[in-house]
Amino acid sequence: MKINLHQQESFERRHHGQTAQDLQEMLQTVGVDTLDELIGQTVPATIRLSKPLDLPAPQSESDFLNNFKMIARQNRIAQSYIGMGYYDTIVPNVILRNILENPAWYTAYTPYQAEIAQGRLEMLLNFQTAVIDLTGMEIANASLLDEATAAAEAMTMLHSQRPSTKKNAETFFVSDRCHPQTIDLIYTRATPLNINVVVGDHAKVDLTDGSIFGVLVQYPATDGEVIDYTDFIAAAHELNIFVAVAADLLSLTLLKAPGEMGADVVVGSAQRFGVPMGYGGPHAAFFATKDAFKRHIPGRIIGVSIDAEGNRALRMALQTREQHIRREKATSNICTAQVLLSVMAAAYAVYHGPEGLKSIATKIHGLTKAFADAVAAMGFEVLTQTYFDTITVQIGNVENLRDEAQKRGINLRYNANGTVGVSFDEVKSFGDLIALLDLFATATGDGLEMSVPSEVEFAFPKTSLASRLI
Amino acid sequence: MLRYLKSLESKDLSLVHSMISLGSCTMKLNATAEMIPVTWPEFGKIHPFAPLNQTNGYQLLFKHLNEWLCEITGFAAMSLQPNSGAQGEYAGLMTIRAYHESRGDTHRNVALIPSSAHGTNPASAVMAGMKVVVTKCDERGNIDVADLKAKAEQYRDQLSCLMVTYPSTHGVFEESIIEICALIHSHGGQVYMDGANMNAQVGLTSPATIGADVCHLNLHKTFCIPHGGGGPGMGPIGVAAHLVPFLPGHVQHPLNTQVMENTGAVSAAPYGSASILTISFAYIAMMGAEGLTNATKMAILNANYIKQRLAGDGQFEILYTGTNGRCAHEMIVDCRPFKAVGIEAEDLAKRLMDYGFHAPTLSFPVAGTLMIEPTESESKAELDRFCDASKHPCRNSRN
């Protein structure tokens, strides 16, 4: 007997359910002699492809993983200080192994059949509860696709809910301190709906302009500034203008909640709650609002109900808002959301607990404060007054810094106006801080000649703190 | 923590327990080998706006996946930005909108949508600024060509596009599809194909072959990204050559060349949920052309096997079939005859849970029915178990 030395393990054999014998029995049941006979009876000849697909030869599992690792290695992992809504994070091992890498969680379907979905419905309820708690809002959904689309959903929901005095108002004002990708996407989504988008400084906008129905601001702003929007929101509400806030969930463990400021909608990303950046996704966005808007929220909402025997049971609620029932009158087209990732984020919140989350946020803030103090001492101007995890720094010679940063595998945010943004996250250590300062020191032409304290004070005023911390 | 996670996990049903025969959802095998790269740090720890020279691995992944998906769909280019099927619909419609506008046809804003379409179709059309005109289906479940013709003519000056699912949501390869697409084109419209049922096409036919101009692919259906309990997904779109300039752009695109000037960002990140593209890449790389084509054939066989087992003895009626009495990769089982003995479709769905199965799609696209899609990955033994379970409660009740 000859042995083929090129023989390899077939993946296809494992992907398909049938053995050769099963196949014959099934063909017989169906009433055909061959599989191709069945296909000939099923797919009209007029639309059949004239030639086979042209794709590379199939690889075995082990060959594929070896080859793909070579491709993966062509990505270079850098220390990321870019921020802009994406942060490095530590996936707790218990979540990595038992949720993200666990097919019992990742192969489930959307929980339309509540009886066999109580587990993930509970974790989604945890997600909603954490979001409601941190944003200070009354109701939250069980995830949207990303922060930018969540902000666009806020715009369209508020547009549909304009009070009678604002029926002809078609302008949505977007703070120029929102993340640029959010602004880009809002333009896309506004245009076909004939919503006029104006981007500018929220502190200078003329709210008496009757054409404005809503505003979007970022908290903390994309440049890191922590702005208390309480007075701004009150002024907007006086003039029947809604305000949506795009917020960083982790910062809200320390900062005054947008709900306390009077926000109508709060959106944002839960990525930094233990979900890898993944070059953009996936991760869960959240959408929280006032109870008054509950019938107009986009996406799925998990509600607490009772079963036939009177026991507490969870199910998807208020489904009459959704596209599968309302079709062209739905509040949004969203169907697939980010369940697995909101489950991970909720599990992260459960794993760390309120104190643990605050502790993570506090350390991040401390590193940011120490960095700000040190670069200021080096003679750079720190442009951010009040910050949580992000500061913007004025640099003389950005190109030098950029070249050196590239060499050292450090990614910063380089703004078009020549300033540099630096955002800290939970992965960064005191050692990373020193390495970063050393990088900035080279831009001064000197080496790092300062001692960095291992303790710092909170940098933001008490009025910016969450009320539960005061 | 571990016990809490396990206690929740144990309350739920997933593919680790049984087949999930949800029609139009394509719950196929998500092989472990496909999943392994997702959690490699080389893919996970990359910021979406990292410099291009740090993401060569991702760029290679995108390049190959684009080429392969173009080969499979017959299209000229893909956009990997939309991160769900509905987002893909929106991106595709915006691409069509920009195309019409570039030709000065700003008045073309009517989307024709058959009554059997997924709910996301009309919802996406409204978000893209279109007016939805619903067209009828005939008694065989096919698009009512006469009605479509009438409406296409009625709106010929405003016609933007037709949104069509193929094979239809009724689980049939409509013979008239080429005629339908030609009709829309003759009135200046574009054809958007909903790719939810792409699992019945790969290697046998393609969106470009049937005459579509743009389609989305649910990578979380046809190309093995697991459903995650309701996400994540990926919904890249493929387009014919004339639509390429109008694909979505992105302000933070690493090449920093807004090749496309007419449609802005549709996702926060330039490549949507980039890290899970590794799963679809793995599936195609390990299956190859023949394997993918065989998968489509096996999916069709499995569906027709279930159809024969359920309806062969007359116990169940299958609502729609093709001209040769075959279904595509899924079928609709009519439960309305059981109403006479007090059984609703929902009762049947819930009863299947008692046997450890997830219910098929309930009352879509026809009320009082179950839509079953087995996929190619289920073994004959599992299909038999499912058929036996489905037939059992009804046999009891009929007796």
Side-chain angles (χ1 to χ4, degrees):
Chain A
M1 194 175 91
K2 299 256 169 55
I3 300 171
N4 177 5
L5 299 181
H6 293 288
Q7 179 190 315
Q8 64 165 13
E9 171 78 15
S10 160
F11 172 79
E12 181 195 340
R13 186 172 72 83
R14 298 184 184 282
H15 178 79
H16 294 147
Q18 314 311 349
T19 63
Q21 194 192 332
D22 288 339
L23 181 65
Q24 282 315 312
E25 288 176 22
M26 291 172 70
L27 290 172
Q28 202 175 352
T29 303
V30 169
V32 289
D33 292 330
T34 65
L35 190 51
D36 285 328
E37 185 185 343
L38 173 67
I39 300 306
Q41 291 173 8
T42 308
V43 186
T46 46
I47 60 165
R48 288 292 296 273
L49 295 183
S50 54
K51 55 181 173 37
L53 294 174
D54 181 14
L55 295 169
Q59 301 175 44
S60 70
E61 291 190 19
S62 60
D63 282 355
F64 167 74
L65 287 171
N66 287 334
N67 294 336
F68 200 41
K69 192 76 189 179
M70 294 299 135
I71 291 182
R73 284 194 181 135
Q74 295 185 49
N75 288 332
R76 219 176 105 217
I77 299 169
Q79 286 271 51
S80 179
Y81 293 91
I82 299 173
M84 300 175 78
Y86 300 89
Y87 306 89
D88 204 358
T89 181
I90 297 166
V91 188
N93 289 306
V94 69
I95 294 173
L96 176 69
R97 178 167 289 187
N98 298 290
I99 296 180
L100 182 57
E101 296 182 339
N102 178 355
W105 283 97
Y106 67 65
T107 67
Y109 188 68
T110 304
Y112 286 113
Q113 303 289 341
E115 296 91 332
I116 47 175
Q118 290 295 303
R120 59 191 185 280
L121 285 167
E122 177 165 324
M123 205 49 114
L124 292 173
L125 187 69
N126 289 343
F127 178 79
Q128 291 177 182
T129 305
V131 168
I132 288 170
D133 191 31
L134 289 167
T135 58
M137 301 302 282
E138 291 166 335
I139 186 168
N141 75 5
S143 80
L144 291 176
L145 295 170
D146 53 38
E147 178 169 323
T149 54
E153 296 282 2
M155 171 182 73
T156 46
M157 186 189 86
L158 295 175
H159 185 250
S160 74
Q161 296 305 303
R162 288 167 295 173
S164 53
T165 53
K166 282 276 177 184
K167 274 299 166 227
N168 297 318
E170 300 291 348
T171 297
F172 190 63
F173 182 87
V174 180
S175 162
D176 56 9
R177 293 168 106 168
C178 289
H179 292 318
Q181 69 273 19
T182 302
I183 297 174
D184 188 14
L185 192 138
I186 287 210
Y187 273 120
T188 310
R189 294 277 283 260
T191 307
L193 303 175
N194 293 318
I195 294 173
N196 175 37
V197 175
V198 175
V199 178
D201 182 348
H202 83 281
K204 291 183 186 153
V205 63
D206 177 12
L207 293 174
T208 63
D209 174 350
S211 71
I212 301 176
F213 71 85
V215 175
L216 176 71
V217 293
Q218 187 99 40
Y219 180 69
T222 192
D223 55 18
E225 196 70 44
V226 175
I227 300 164
D228 188 336
Y229 295 109
T230 308
D231 294 344
F232 174 76
I233 293 173
H237 284 174
E238 280 289 307
L239 295 157
N240 291 319
I241 294 170
F242 294 125
V243 179
V245 178
D248 177 272
L249 207 52
L250 188 61
S251 75
L252 300 184
T253 61
L254 301 178
L255 296 175
K256 184 174 175 179
E260 287 180 55
M261 299 178 189
D264 296 292
V265 182
V266 185
V267 298
S269 165
Q271 180 266 316
R272 71 194 302 181
F273 275 41
V275 178
M277 292 185 284
Y279 201 39
H283 55 261
F286 61 87
F287 185 105
T289 186
K290 295 175 171 173
D291 191 65
F293 295 123
K294 71 180 169 202
R295 293 184 190 284
H296 308 282
I297 296 175
R300 300 183 183 116
I301 302 172
I302 310 308
V304 180
S305 181
I306 52 167
D307 68 12
E309 290 165 6
N311 300 315
R312 176 182 178 273
L314 306 175
R315 54 163 298 166
M316 294 201 285
L318 299 168
Q319 290 188 56
T320 49
R321 301 162 292 115
E322 294 189 58
Q323 47 75 27
H324 64 279
I325 293 174
R326 290 276 280 171
R327 304 180 73 86
E328 67 268 24
K329 294 189 178 68
T331 52
S332 166
N333 70 341
I334 188 162
C335 181
T336 287
Q338 301 281 19
V339 168
L340 184 69
L341 303 314
S342 42
V343 163
M344 282 180 71
Y348 178 94
V350 170
Y351 174 83
H352 286 294
E355 291 307 317
L357 292 176
K358 264 186 284 182
S359 160
I360 291 168
T362 304
K363 182 180 169 201
I364 291 172
H365 173 66
L367 289 173
T368 315
K369 169 80 162 67
F371 175 72
D373 289 349
V375 287
M378 285 178 197
F380 296 112
E381 188 186 355
V382 176
L383 300 171
T384 319
Q385 311 284 318
T386 306
Y387 49 83
F388 162 60
D389 66 351
T390 301
I391 62 169
T392 302
V393 184
Q394 184 76 55
I395 301 284
N397 191 341
V398 176
E399 285 314 310
N400 277 358
L401 180 74
R402 192 173 189 150
D403 290 346
E404 191 59 31
Q406 278 262 15
K407 273 185 220 151
R408 299 185 187 197
I410 292 175
N411 287 346
L412 306 171
R413 177 180 179 181
Y414 303 99
N415 297 308
N417 64 4
T419 60
V420 172
V422 178
S423 280
F424 284 83
D425 56 52
E426 73 164 317
V427 175
K428 304 300 184 289
S429 65
F430 187 80
D432 295 323
L433 168 68
I434 302 297
L436 187 65
L437 286 170
D438 190 60
L439 168 69
F440 273 74
T442 60
T444 65
D446 310 322
L448 185 60
E449 289 171 2
M450 60 170 67
S451 66
V452 181
S454 53
E455 283 185 341
V456 290
E457 289 291 329
F458 264 101
F460 40 77
K462 237 181 173 176
T463 51
S464 299
L465 278 172
S467 57
R468 58 181 167 264
L469 297 183
I470 299 171
Chain B
M1 187 71 191
L2 181 65
R3 285 182 180 156
Y4 178 55
L5 296 181
K6 285 289 166 191
S7 77
L8 295 184
E9 176 190 324
S10 65
K11 292 177 180 174
D12 287 14
L13 185 141
S14 71
L15 283 176
V16 306
H17 301 99
S18 69
M19 69 186 277
I20 299 180
S21 61
L22 286 157
S24 264
C25 300
T26 314
M27 300 292 286
K28 60 164 73 176
L29 174 72
N30 313 119
T32 305
E34 292 156 1
M35 297 301 297
I36 282 175
V38 174
T39 46
W40 285 349
E42 292 92 338
F43 289 119
K45 289 175 93 68
I46 307 287
H47 192 284
F49 312 143
L52 193 59
N53 63 12
Q54 293 173 8
T55 63
N56 290 341
Y58 265 119
Q59 304 309 323
L60 263 177
L61 162 70
F62 301 150
K63 177 178 173 286
H64 291 308
L65 192 58
N66 270 325
E67 286 168 4
W68 299 345
L69 295 178
C70 282
E71 172 66 16
I72 288 165
T73 57
F75 281 137
M78 304 291 301
S79 166
L80 297 175
Q81 198 180 133
N83 51 8
S84 75
Q87 196 78 271
E89 291 172 19
Y90 176 75
L93 294 174
M94 290 297 285
T95 303
I96 289 172
R97 179 189 156 93
Y99 166 76
H100 285 313
E101 283 184 354
S102 76
R103 294 155 55 92
D105 289 342
T106 50
H107 51 284
R108 289 195 172 272
N109 70 341
V110 166
L112 298 179
I113 302 179
S115 57
S116 58
H118 296 116
T120 49
N121 287 186
S124 299
V126 168
M127 284 170 58
M130 294 181 188
K131 185 179 150 193
V132 174
V133 173
V134 179
T135 71
K136 292 183 199 152
C137 291
D138 66 19
E139 73 284 354
R140 295 183 60 84
N142 293 326
I143 289 175
D144 182 335
V145 179
D147 185 57
L148 182 73
K149 211 172 227 169
K151 285 181 172 141
E153 266 160 34
Q154 185 187 343
Y155 294 101
R156 64 180 178 274
D157 296 330
Q158 298 148 268
L159 183 61
S160 174
C161 63
L162 166 74
M163 294 187 84
V164 61
T165 306
Y166 201 78
S168 73
T169 53
H170 292 159
V172 177
F173 282 98
E174 285 163 292
E175 307 260 351
S176 54
I177 188 67
I178 289 186
E179 181 196 344
I180 287 169
C181 293
L183 169 73
I184 297 301
H185 288 144
S186 73
H187 290 297
Q190 296 283 295
V191 176
Y192 182 92
M193 195 202 87
D194 182 321
N197 290 347
M198 194 65 196
N199 211 46
Q201 285 197 31
V202 177
L204 300 182
T205 182
S206 75
T209 305
I210 65 163
D213 301 288
V214 49
C215 83
H216 76 263
L217 298 173
N218 299 87
L219 297 187
H220 50 291
K221 295 180 180 176
T222 318
F223 295 94
C224 290
I225 293 174
H227 280 62
M234 268 300 274
I237 57 170
V239 295
H242 63 285
L243 294 177
V244 175
F246 310 105
L247 283 169
H250 198 285
V251 68
Q252 299 291 332
H253 193 278
L255 298 174
N256 208 15
T257 46
Q258 292 262 342
V259 192
M260 313 85 180
E261 286 159 15
N262 292 278
T263 308
V266 296
S267 293
Y271 295 98
S273 297
S275 68
I276 54 173
L277 291 173
T278 54
I279 301 165
S280 300
F281 183 97
Y283 174 60
I284 298 172
M286 293 191 289
M287 287 290 274
E290 199 186 340
L292 290 174
T293 309
N294 286 341
T296 312
K297 293 177 181 176
M298 294 299 293
I300 291 171
L301 173 64
N302 282 2
N304 279 284
Y305 178 74
I306 290 185
K307 173 177 162 292
Q308 189 59 31
R309 287 241 19 223
L310 293 183
D313 60 1
Q315 188 175 344
F316 286 96
E317 283 167 35
I318 305 303
L319 212 45
Y320 308 110
T321 54
T323 45
N324 295 316
R326 301 297 182 192
C327 61
H329 66 308
E330 63 188 6
M331 83 219 74
I332 298 176
V333 177
D334 196 351
C335 302
R336 291 170 294 189
F338 298 105
K339 257 193 165 162
V341 290
I343 295 183
E344 302 273 351
E346 183 156 12
D347 299 323
L348 199 57
K350 300 295 182 196
R351 190 75 178 121
L352 277 169
M353 285 183 215
D354 296 336
Y355 289 92
F357 287 105
H358 194 288
T361 300
L362 180 63
S363 289
F364 175 85
V366 181
T369 65
L370 295 175
M371 182 158 59
I372 300 170
E373 177 184 3
T375 83
E376 68 276 16
S377 303
E378 298 300 340
S379 65
K380 178 172 177 292
E382 182 71 353
L383 299 178
D384 283 336
R385 201 171 72 87
F386 174 80
C387 292
D388 292 344
S390 299
K391 299 184 82 151
H392 190 234
C394 290
R395 190 182 300 134
N396 283 350
S397 61
R398 277 205 162 174
N399 292 344

